[in-house]
Amino acid sequence: MNSKRIIAMDLDGTLLNEKGLVSDESINYLKNIKEDGDIIVIATGRILNSALFATKGAEFANYIVGNAGAGVYKNAGNDKWEKIYEELIPYNIAKSFLEYFDENKFSNVSLCNSQKICRYTKNYHKNDKVVVNYESKEELEKDIKDVIHVSIGLKNNDFVSEYYKIFKDKYPDLKISIMQDSFGDKRWLEITQKNIEKYKGINQIAKIENIPNENIIAFGDGLNDLDMLAKCGIGVAMKNALPEVKKVAKFTTNKANYENGIIDFLENMNKSAEV
């Protein structure tokens, strides 16, 4: 019997605490079970660089499923991450979303690859290691050519629903998703290739590592976690997860993300197995 496991986890609202950080306790625990043979997978809507920044380099992880499944990367050691695959949106289609920008309804339109988020906005934002802000569409288009996903922020959830319908009709060959994390009411739109989901990336890793689906444990809290919690062998919603997420999960943690809920669940699971 194959006892090797994949432990897959979302970041925001799941592994990360209320400060947007991974606790030292979580890092040490995940490093230990990785050394014991478990395959640790980060499965996030963030781009690769953002995931690495939030996890201090993600040394505890074997793989990162980024862009909500549109990119998968393997830890090659020495701070290097090897691309397994990326599914790009054709560039002319990706940049066409910039033309919908309406200052009365939109907060931003972001074109994203593994390295950076190029954000078109009329509101002042400071650039950081991952996000570059532009007030000129032309300048943005010069700085990014390969686009893995498009993220669109709108000023209220009614506008999210409005443009979800518009884009579903206008772009039938793309996947248009409404996203919401567990720690707020704000929703936004995510656009990828049609067949993209977190489970696709996790399943690809399972094939590489020869791990059956029943040995995959996945943790999540937000709307882009629904597919992996429903399809992985053991889908676990965080205590703080959205109601929709808890509904599809097989289990719910006893503790929230800011209480190291993943560690608590895995430790209790191991104790139960020993009985």
Side-chain angles (χ1 to χ4, degrees), residues 252-267:
T252 299
T253 64
N254 292 321
K255 294 185 177 182
N257 63 309
Y258 51 85
E259 302 171 300
N260 294 316
I262 291 175
I263 295 176
D264 181 72
F265 182 89
L266 291 173
E267 287 181 336

Side-chain angles (χ1 to χ4, degrees), residues 183-218:
F183 45 85
D185 296 329
K186 184 178 179 180
R187 293 186 164 201
W188 66 95
L189 294 176
E190 296 284 355
I191 296 105
T192 61
Q193 288 282 37
K194 192 77 171 180
N195 60 341
I196 296 303
E197 59 182 17
K198 288 186 178 182
Y199 180 75
K200 178 182 178 181
I202 295 169
N203 187 51
Q204 178 68 27
I205 293 166
K207 290 178 180 177
I208 293 170
E209 297 290 342
N210 193 29
I211 296 176
N213 192 63
E214 59 263 29
N215 286 9
I216 304 175
I217 307 170

